[in-house]
Amino acid sequence: MSDPRSTPNEAAVDAAQTPEASPPPPPAEPSAEDRLAEMSDAYLRAKAEVENVRRRADDEITKARKYALEAFAESLLPVKDSLEAAVAQPDASAQQMLEGVHATLRQLAAALERNRVCEINPAAADRFDPHQHQAISVVPSAQEANTVVAVLQKGYLIADRVLRPALVTVAGPQ
């Protein structure tokens, strides 16, 4: 019961806190138009998010293509520097030039290796592999048929993909 000394507002609060007070009515069920508007809004937001993801992916692909050679080019700069240093020494002896060429070749080989460019240099008598070798000619040989007789030019792989096949002569049938 309420206190006779309480104010009318306090009495209303006391009445609302009593167990006899009825619970608030359940929320009204949203209308079909409201649900449709919510679904439409969710669809538009999802569509916009997909477009943003697609745009970001396209930007990343463009940047990757644009700067894909950056590391490779950076690893070749010391090779260029060495060649320029050699050209700047016109009075170097043949022995000095040969040593410089060998050092520069080692730099180039290291740069290619760092960038996963590997040689295809089959040994004599290796099986001819049409995926990695290009036969320039077929020659009579004491070797087994379809084996490499000689390598005319090395080939190269880049990350398991043939960049240039090795040019080889192949043993013909006996």
Side-chain angles (χ1 to χ4, degrees), residues 125-145:
D126 281 357
R127 283 307 272 154
F128 173 74
D129 180 355
H131 301 290
Q132 294 189 352
H133 309 146
Q134 181 176 346
I136 297 301
S137 63
V138 176
V139 296
S141 175
Q143 293 178 191
E144 183 181 337

Side-chain angles (χ1 to χ4, degrees), residues 120-127 132-133 148 150-151 153-155 166-168:
I120 302 173
N121 190 14
D126 281 357
R127 283 307 272 154
Q132 294 189 352
H133 309 146
V148 173
V151 177
Q153 185 179 57
K154 295 177 189 176
L167 301 180
V168 299

Side-chain angles (χ1 to χ4, degrees), residues 2 24 29 52 56 63 69 75 77 93-95 104 113 119-121 123 135-137 140 143-144 150 158 166:
S2 59
E29 188 69 26
N52 288 338
R56 282 192 298 271
K63 286 178 185 175
L69 291 177
S75 67
L77 292 178
S93 69
Q95 181 62 31
T104 304
E113 187 177 312
E119 287 184 355
I120 302 173
N121 190 14
I136 297 301
S137 63
Q143 293 178 191
E144 183 181 337
I158 187 165

Side-chain angles (χ1 to χ4, degrees), residues 72-151:
F72 184 67
E74 190 173 294
S75 67
L76 289 180
L77 292 178
V79 176
K80 183 176 185 296
D81 294 340
S82 294
L83 291 172
E84 288 173 345
V87 170
Q89 302 293 325
D91 57 344
S93 69
Q95 181 62 31
Q96 290 171 324
M97 289 297 273
L98 185 58
E99 288 173 10
V101 167
H102 284 295
T104 304
L105 184 57
R106 285 191 299 273
Q107 281 181 321
L108 180 59
L112 291 173
E113 187 177 312
R114 272 193 310 273
N115 289 281
R116 299 177 55 195
V117 178
C118 305
E119 287 184 355
I120 302 173
N121 190 14
D126 281 357
R127 283 307 272 154
F128 173 74
D129 180 355
H131 301 290
Q132 294 189 352
H133 309 146
Q134 181 176 346
I136 297 301
S137 63
V138 176
V139 296
S141 175
Q143 293 178 191
E144 183 181 337
N146 290 327
T147 59
V148 173
V149 174
V151 177

Side-chain angles (χ1 to χ4, degrees), residues 25 39 51 147 172:
M39 293 173 86
E51 286 299 318
T147 59

Side-chain angles (χ1 to χ4, degrees), residues 59-74:
D59 289 346
E60 288 178 24
I61 289 169
T62 300
K63 286 178 185 175
R65 285 182 180 150
K66 186 175 181 180
Y67 299 111
L69 291 177
E70 183 177 5
F72 184 67
E74 190 173 294

